[in-house]
Amino acid sequence: MTEKQFLPGNYLDLPKSGKATWKAPSNIALVKYWGKKPVQIPANPSISFTLDTCATTTSVSFDKKEDNGALSFDLLFDGKPKEDFKPKIHTFFERIREYVPFLGKYHFTIETSNSFPHSSGIASSASGMAALSMCLMDVEKTLNPSMAENLFHAKASYLARLGSGSACRSIKGSMVQWGAHENIPNSSDLYGIEYPFEVNSVFNTFCDTILLVHKGQKQVSSTVGHQLMHNHPYADNRFQQAFSNLDRLKPILASGDLEEFIKLVESEALTLHAMMMTSMPYFILMKPDTLEIINKVWEYRSETKIPLCFTLDAGANVHLLYPLSEKENVRKFIKDNLAEHCENGQYIHDGVGSGAIKINS
Ligand code: DP6
């Protein structure tokens, strides 16, 4: 699909008011997105597991207003006004209003909450922007009921991407690929697609336990980190590596070869952090406990042969990935050996999920 296809069709008469509620999950990248061009075009393709438990639920209520111009909205987080989130939403609305012009015709009340603990260090931008985009597409669907299902989802992902890149991978499940790649049919820089190749059933129920190592504010935001890939000495090689890792992943996902899966996923995580350490200015988002956990995972894997591996986001928290069949063993290991490295002993058991859902209010 092209950008033109996301421009609005002919709307029916605008209703006076209404409300839409959607829940969208977070996602965890296996091949990482790190580096972008304007506007929100990834420097390399990425792929992620859609998660299930970690999610944002957002309601958008809309009331027609007299003027047809300025954007107008209130934002509530956990039921309370949240002024500091507003500039990000305002920028997002400005960016997408060409595609959803009804934005100028209503006053919106956006109510949002996360399933995961507040300030857990889990990025809520992916699930948050995905949930908000689904709500806006819900409004668009009432104005244009004949809209096809595939366009609805592709446009939701397109809008979400303009809010936060990784958010475009949180619309669908269970594996979403984003970024044009010559060997992946229908792949696009503009939106995420459901991974189109064979995926071994072991991955459909894969588990992800998120170890909350550090819950405070990160020293460097993802937005700044992405920018530091411009003129980065290793950028070109890194982008090439991501392209080839997507090729390498294809037979691994089809066969369920966990040994090769682990090598690729852990290498991607460490490469992401290596890019941060070799940026100018350079920075480190891992904490001593992040490294303690990684070492313990390696030790555990070599002793038990249980295919447990880690991946990292742009932060200190560790995502532990493992097959459902090893759930009991791994969860005991986490409780007995890894919980001590988590802030307040906190971690979240999650797993592969199926994408955003509408909540009937
Ligand atoms: C390290 O999607 O948060 O999690 O597009 O600036 O909002 P923006 O960045 P964001 O970057 C996420 C980067 C990552 C890797 C990934 O999810 O692919």
Side-chain angles (χ1 to χ4, degrees):
M1 275 178 225
T2 62
E3 275 178 307
K4 263 201 177 142
Q5 284 169 278
F6 298 126
L7 289 168
N10 289 327
Y11 286 162
L12 297 176
D13 284 345
L14 296 179
K16 251 178 83 129
S17 63
K19 183 174 180 177
T21 305
W22 282 77
K23 180 178 175 183
S26 192
N27 68 74
I28 180 66
L30 305 174
V31 174
K32 310 287 180 181
Y33 148 58
W34 198 243
K36 61 178 166 181
K37 300 169 252 184
V39 179
Q40 296 289 95
I41 297 298
N44 63 259
S46 58
I47 185 168
S48 50
F49 280 140
T50 305
L51 296 181
D52 184 43
T53 308
C54 289
T56 300
T57 301
T58 299
S59 289
V60 171
S61 311
F62 49 101
D63 291 288
K64 213 163 170 181
K65 56 186 179 67
E66 289 310 312
D67 68 296
N68 175 17
L71 296 171
S72 163
F73 66 93
D74 293 318
L75 185 69
L76 295 118
F77 181 71
D78 284 342
K80 296 186 204 86
K82 187 82 179 153
E83 290 304 312
D84 48 332
F85 279 9
K86 282 182 86 172
K88 193 162 183 188
I89 305 291
H90 196 272
T91 308
F92 174 53
F93 278 4
E94 286 291 2
R95 222 178 242 174
I96 63 171
R97 78 185 284 183
E98 187 185 352
Y99 300 96
V100 275
F102 61 80
L103 280 183
K105 311 232 178 200
Y106 291 106
H107 173 77
F108 294 93
T109 304
I110 304 165
E111 293 172 79
T112 185
S113 62
N114 293 332
S115 66
F116 37 90
H118 184 49
S119 77
S120 58
I122 296 184
S124 57
S125 63
S127 52
M129 287 297 178
L132 180 55
S133 299
M134 288 307 272
C135 291
L136 296 178
M137 286 312 296
D138 201 303
V139 180
E140 168 134 340
K141 180 105 187 167
T142 59
L143 305 178
N144 180 10
S146 63
M147 182 174 213
E149 195 75 358
N150 65 341
L151 178 61
F152 176 86
H153 284 105
K155 183 165 173 180
S157 177
Y158 177 85
L159 297 180
R161 181 197 107 239
L162 292 170
S164 175
S166 56
C168 79
R169 300 188 313 239
S170 274
I171 301 295
K172 287 285 202 163
S174 49
M175 296 197 78
V176 177
Q177 191 274 332
W178 168 44
H181 188 299
E182 60 176 354
N183 299 330
I184 303 179
N186 302 319
S187 59
S188 170
D189 284 343
L190 303 178
Y191 52 89
I193 58 166
E194 285 177 88
Y195 189 61
F197 301 124
E198 185 189 351
V199 176
N200 188 282
S201 62
V202 70
F203 296 115
N204 296 335
T205 54
F206 232 60
C207 301
D208 177 6
T209 299
I210 306 154
L211 305 178
L212 305 177
V213 171
H214 182 70
K215 304 198 289 176
Q217 188 82 28
K218 290 187 288 192
Q219 304 130 283
V220 181
S221 69
S222 290
T223 310
V224 172
H226 283 290
Q227 279 165 12
L228 293 175
M229 288 304 279
H230 292 294
N231 303 318
H232 189 294
Y234 307 130
D236 288 344
N237 281 337
R238 159 59 197 154
F239 300 147
Q240 275 318 308
Q241 180 196 39
F243 277 88
S244 66
N245 275 346
L246 274 152
D247 283 328
R248 281 181 56 207
L249 202 54
K250 187 179 168 187
I252 295 173
L253 290 176
S255 64
D257 182 342
L258 295 182
E259 211 171 300
E260 289 302 310
F261 176 80
I262 288 171
K263 281 190 210 156
L264 191 146
V265 166
E266 291 190 344
S267 158
E268 273 288 322
L270 294 180
T271 303
L272 168 70
H273 284 257
M275 290 300 112
M276 299 173 190
M277 290 188 236
T278 48
S279 300
M280 194 56 77
Y282 42 83
F283 57 105
I284 301 180
L285 295 184
M286 291 187 282
K287 297 283 177 195
D289 281 310
T290 311
L291 295 179
E292 293 282 353
I293 291 166
I294 291 174
N295 280 305
K296 283 191 178 179
V297 166
W298 284 342
E299 217 175 298
Y300 178 77
R301 196 165 71 221
S302 100
E303 277 168 15
T304 63
K305 309 291 172 231
I306 289 175
L308 168 69
C309 71
F310 71 87
T311 188
L312 305 165
D313 259 344
N317 294 337
V318 182
H319 287 249
L320 292 183
L321 303 176
Y322 50 97
L324 186 63
S325 57
E326 298 293 353
K327 180 171 145 180
E328 270 175 44
N329 287 326
V330 171
R331 291 193 178 181
K332 183 169 171 11
F333 168 63
I334 292 171
K335 194 159 163 267
D336 296 347
N337 297 280
L338 303 181
E340 65 197 74
H341 300 293
C342 301
E343 206 170 322
N344 305 323
Q346 273 188 299
Y347 51 86
I348 301 169
H349 292 309
D350 206 337
V352 170
S354 49
I357 54 166
K358 185 176 164 92
I359 309 286
N360 291 316
S361 35

